[in-house]
Amino acid sequence: MLYIIQTTAEEEEHTSRRICGKHEHVFRCIMGSSLLSVAEQLLRDLQRTYSETKQIPDDLLIALQFVFGPCALQALDLVDQRFVTCVSSPSGRDAFQVLGGSGRLYTCFTSCHYCPCPAFSFTVLRRNESLMCKHLLAACLSQAMGLCQQEQVSDQQMTHILSGQTEVST
């Protein structure tokens, strides 16, 4: 059986916007997951190449800039200045502390892709314009390049770090 439904132009426009909105959301999810896969592969390629040559070739720099945008160079600058520290505790917990340009210390978690900085909240979480902020990307890059400072802390100190008290008192 064939049903013919008559609709007004206003109803068609509303339906079209609703369907396109749903497709746009699905498209963004697919693109986001695909872009995340590309970013992860890019970091693996960077790790392999940097471990062999101790350099980042131009094609990888261009790819980093393309995938991560302007924060790529800012993140590389943080890595170059050795502003990234991997803090580890005897219980096996790890966190990355990144000294931002403002002098503030941000505790980043690469395992769950999180940074408490305002840029992460705004551009990554709220506007969905970027995969990472420069602090989180710096943590990922320094880890991939093996250029991360290492600091061992007690489990009690790690508890303070994880609870948002980022200054480590040794």
Side-chain angles (χ1 to χ4, degrees):
M1 228 190 260
L2 178 64
Y3 293 98
I4 299 175
I5 301 172
Q6 291 184 330
T7 59
T8 66
E10 185 178 302
E11 289 172 330
E12 286 177 8
E13 183 178 330
H14 174 73
T15 302
S16 175
R17 267 189 277 131
R18 189 170 41 93
I19 290 172
C20 288
K22 285 181 182 177
H23 287 297
E24 181 180 356
H25 175 71
V26 170
F27 178 73
R28 281 186 181 182
C29 289
I30 291 170
M31 286 303 294
S33 65
S34 296
L35 188 56
L36 188 56
S37 296
V38 168
E40 289 169 349
Q41 182 61 49
L42 180 58
L43 290 171
R44 283 191 294 271
D45 291 347
L46 175 71
Q47 181 178 20
R48 182 182 41 79
T49 302
Y50 193 83
S51 70
E52 293 170 359
T53 66
K54 300 297 181 212
Q55 294 180 343
I56 303 174
D58 288 344
D59 61 331
L60 278 179
L61 284 173
I62 292 168
L64 284 169
Q65 179 74 23
F66 182 78
V67 171
F68 296 106
C71 78
L73 293 179
Q74 297 167 339
L76 284 167
D77 189 44
L78 292 172
V79 172
D80 189 44
Q81 294 181 50
R82 303 292 194 262
F83 285 169
V84 181
T85 303
C86 179
V87 183
S88 304
S89 69
S91 61
R93 291 184 175 92
D94 292 329
F96 290 86
Q97 292 192 316
V98 181
L99 185 63
S102 65
R104 182 160 179 218
L105 195 62
Y106 295 102
T107 301
C108 302
F109 303 96
T110 58
S111 60
C112 63
H113 297 282
Y114 178 76
C115 178
C117 78
F120 185 85
S121 295
F122 188 71
T123 61
V124 177
L125 297 178
R126 181 176 276 172
R127 299 198 62 193
N128 200 23
E129 292 177 347
S130 183
L131 291 174
M132 300 179 191
C133 66
K134 67 181 180 182
H135 311 109
L136 186 55
L137 182 56
C140 292
L141 290 170
S142 68
Q143 190 176 24
M145 297 165 70
L147 296 176
C148 198
Q149 306 292 326
Q150 301 291 324
E151 183 174 349
Q152 294 291 321
V153 298
S154 69
D155 286 330
Q156 184 179 8
Q157 288 172 312
M158 182 59 84
T159 300
H160 288 290
I161 292 169
L162 296 176
S163 68
Q165 301 170 5
T166 56
E167 296 295 327
V168 177
S169 56
T170 53

